[in-house]
Amino acid sequence: MNGFADHGLDEGAFGEKKGFSDGLRTFDAFPKTKPTYTRRSSTGGYTTLLLILISIILSFTELRRWYSGHETHLFSVEKGVSHELQINLDIVVPMLCSDLHINVQDASGDRILAGDMLTKDATNWKQWVERVNTLERQGKDLAKEQEEDTHVGHVLGHGREKRRFKKTPKLGRGMPGTSCRVYGSLEGNKVQGDFHITARGHGYMELGQHLDHSAFNFSHIINELSFGPLYPSLLNPLDKTYATTSANFFKYQYYLSVVPTIYTRTPSPKNPSTSSPSNMLSTSSDTIVTNQYAVTSQSHDVNERSVPGIFFKFDIEPILLTIREERGGLLALCVRVVNVVSGILVGGGWCYQLAGWGREVLGGRKKGEKGGMGMLHGGNGAIEEGEE
């Protein structure tokens, strides 16, 4: 009678009939749309694929961030007791190896003949200058690589490897070995000290040995200067640095503040007041006790009554830096991934709906403008099509 059935409509088109057995469906908080009222489009398909791709990328990023963990830096008073300090040196000086004297003298009065404990190789200065220039050109890449590898896991993965210094470049034909490369590791007392490189017969009273002043040249290239066990991913302030001078009597002074440092993956102790570096080292295999340092330098000409050379004065700071890598739980990771995926899907759905609404509004306006221009004809405003 009212045309309801004539148009092929029935009550089933508006929803399912609910019986007594379906009473629990009234508690469903998620409204459903029947498939007959949905329309699929290629634009919606492309949008869905794009949202899925973005969700996968961001989920992978969250997983990678969780796997890498995050670092916490804690400064505290050093309570552990240690007596030895490992010094690692790799330096090139444009003087003959036989003309150099290398010694360590600390505040306790002990003197270490470092020249007898370190390795000396004859080399050519130009070879190392070319190498430094190459490193300078690649400085940005090296800095980026160091930044990426300073992760505690990388340090712990390689920290217990034996320190290996690179081999000295071989001298080419007709290339004189007028320079000296000094490298190696030695043990000293963990107290304030002075590590210095001087010329033969200068700085210490030695009978029958005196080097002519014209042979002095304390320009140098520092490939490495570090304290403690190997941690290859950390670049120390003086690593890969150089200084040159044309004066024979010249003095380089470096003042180093050494800070004991612990790299660890172990959880934070419940009672930090009772923890010490020695305890942490003995109770965990994922811990490295080493050192970092800060440096200031001073260089100037000296008169012939002074001792020229390269001097490293180091002092042990009474603080301890603990760099700890921590990783969140799996539940926290799942919550973050769910938040990321749901946020992308919901936000993308809103944007898609707004874009569709905007297209409909703009499309309706254009149709209205075209229809209005077609209805009127002529200047007298007569209607083109009459009513039926």
Side-chain angles (χ1 to χ4, degrees), residues 114-183:
D116 298 335
M117 303 176 64
L118 300 175
T119 304
K120 297 180 180 179
D121 289 343
T123 185
N124 188 273
W125 180 254
K126 291 183 178 180
Q127 289 179 313
W128 294 94
V129 171
E130 293 175 356
R131 186 176 181 181
V132 168
N133 293 334
T134 302
L135 290 175
E136 284 185 347
R137 289 193 296 268
Q138 300 175 350
K140 294 182 179 180
D141 296 336
L142 290 173
K144 182 178 180 180
E145 181 179 354
Q146 291 293 335
E147 182 179 356
E148 293 177 351
D149 291 342
T150 50
H151 173 336
V152 174
H154 178 83
V155 174
L156 294 175
H158 301 276
R160 287 186 171 79
E161 295 179 358
K162 185 178 180 181
R163 183 178 297 275
R164 297 178 181 178
F165 294 94
K166 294 183 179 180
K167 294 182 179 181
T168 304
K170 295 182 179 180
L171 296 173
R173 293 183 179 180
M175 186 178 293
T178 55
S179 300
C180 183
R181 181 196 180 196
V182 183
Y183 62 97

Side-chain angles (χ1 to χ4, degrees), residues 189-200:
N189 298 321
K190 195 174 181 179
V191 294
Q192 181 180 3
D194 185 0
F195 183 94
H196 47 266
I197 301 175
T198 57
R200 173 167 51 88

Side-chain angles (χ1 to χ4, degrees), residues 202-256:
H202 294 77
Y204 293 97
M205 296 299 297
E206 296 173 278
L207 299 177
Q209 295 185 356
H210 186 81
L211 181 65
D212 187 81
H213 295 172
S214 61
F216 291 177
N217 187 353
F218 289 102
S219 301
H220 56 278
I221 297 174
I222 302 175
N223 298 311
E224 179 184 352
L225 177 61
S226 60
F227 299 87
L230 171 67
Y231 47 106
S233 60
L234 183 61
L235 186 64
N236 293 289
L238 290 179
D239 290 356
K240 299 178 177 61
T241 60
Y242 68 97
T244 59
T245 179
S246 57
N248 298 118
F249 278 82
F250 204 84
K251 187 174 185 178
Y252 291 97
Q253 289 180 306
Y254 297 95
Y255 302 93
L256 288 72

Side-chain angles (χ1 to χ4, degrees), residues 61-339:
T61 303
E62 285 292 335
L63 180 62
R64 181 180 178 183
R65 184 181 303 173
W66 171 83
Y67 181 77
S68 300
H70 63 278
E71 296 180 3
T72 58
H73 296 246
L74 175 65
F75 284 94
S76 60
V77 177
E78 185 184 14
K79 299 179 181 180
V81 178
S82 56
H83 303 283
E84 295 183 348
L85 177 66
Q86 179 180 335
I87 303 175
N88 312 297
L89 178 69
D90 186 354
I91 189 172
V92 180
V93 181
M95 295 176 62
L96 297 177
C97 293
S98 59
D99 295 339
L100 293 176
H101 276 187
I102 308 170
N103 298 281
V104 178
Q105 188 168 4
D106 55 41
S108 63
D110 291 347
R111 177 185 172 190
I112 302 175
L113 299 178
D116 298 335
M117 303 176 64
L118 300 175
T119 304
K120 297 180 180 179
D121 289 343
T123 185
N124 188 273
W125 180 254
K126 291 183 178 180
Q127 289 179 313
W128 294 94
V129 171
E130 293 175 356
R131 186 176 181 181
V132 168
N133 293 334
T134 302
L135 290 175
E136 284 185 347
R137 289 193 296 268
Q138 300 175 350
K140 294 182 179 180
D141 296 336
L142 290 173
K144 182 178 180 180
E145 181 179 354
Q146 291 293 335
E147 182 179 356
E148 293 177 351
D149 291 342
T150 50
H151 173 336
V152 174
H154 178 83
V155 174
L156 294 175
H158 301 276
R160 287 186 171 79
E161 295 179 358
K162 185 178 180 181
R163 183 178 297 275
R164 297 178 181 178
F165 294 94
K166 294 183 179 180
K167 294 182 179 181
T168 304
K170 295 182 179 180
L171 296 173
R173 293 183 179 180
M175 186 178 293
T178 55
S179 300
C180 183
R181 181 196 180 196
V182 183
Y183 62 97
S185 301
L186 55 91
E187 298 290 339
N189 298 321
K190 195 174 181 179
V191 294
Q192 181 180 3
D194 185 0
F195 183 94
H196 47 266
I197 301 175
T198 57
R200 173 167 51 88
H202 294 77
Y204 293 97
M205 296 299 297
E206 296 173 278
L207 299 177
Q209 295 185 356
H210 186 81
L211 181 65
D212 187 81
H213 295 172
S214 61
F216 291 177
N217 187 353
F218 289 102
S219 301
H220 56 278
I221 297 174
I222 302 175
N223 298 311
E224 179 184 352
L225 177 61
S226 60
F227 299 87
L230 171 67
Y231 47 106
S233 60
L234 183 61
L235 186 64
N236 293 289
L238 290 179
D239 290 356
K240 299 178 177 61
T241 60
Y242 68 97
T244 59
T245 179
S246 57
N248 298 118
F249 278 82
F250 204 84
K251 187 174 185 178
Y252 291 97
Q253 289 180 306
Y254 297 95
Y255 302 93
L256 288 72
S257 297
V258 181
V259 179
T261 304
I262 293 178
Y263 290 90
T264 181
R265 278 181 175 173
T266 58
S268 302
K270 296 181 179 180
N271 188 5
S273 60
T274 60
S275 62
S276 66
S278 57
N279 292 336
M280 294 182 67
L281 183 60
S282 60
T283 57
S284 174
S285 60
D286 288 339
T287 301
I288 293 179
V289 179
T290 182
N291 302 277
Q292 298 186 68
Y293 65 86
V295 61
T296 57
S297 61
Q298 182 182 8
S299 57
H300 55 86
D301 295 311
V302 295
N303 54 43
E304 295 186 0
R305 295 182 180 180
S306 301
V307 179
I310 307 170
F311 298 85
F312 301 93
K313 298 181 182 294
F314 56 89
D315 192 10
I316 311 299
E317 298 294 336
I319 59 176
L320 174 67
L321 172 60
T322 302
I323 302 177
R324 189 184 307 278
E325 182 187 87
E326 298 178 345
R327 183 182 298 169
L330 289 175
L331 179 60
L333 173 64
C334 293
V335 170
R336 288 201 302 270
V337 172
V338 169
N339 288 339

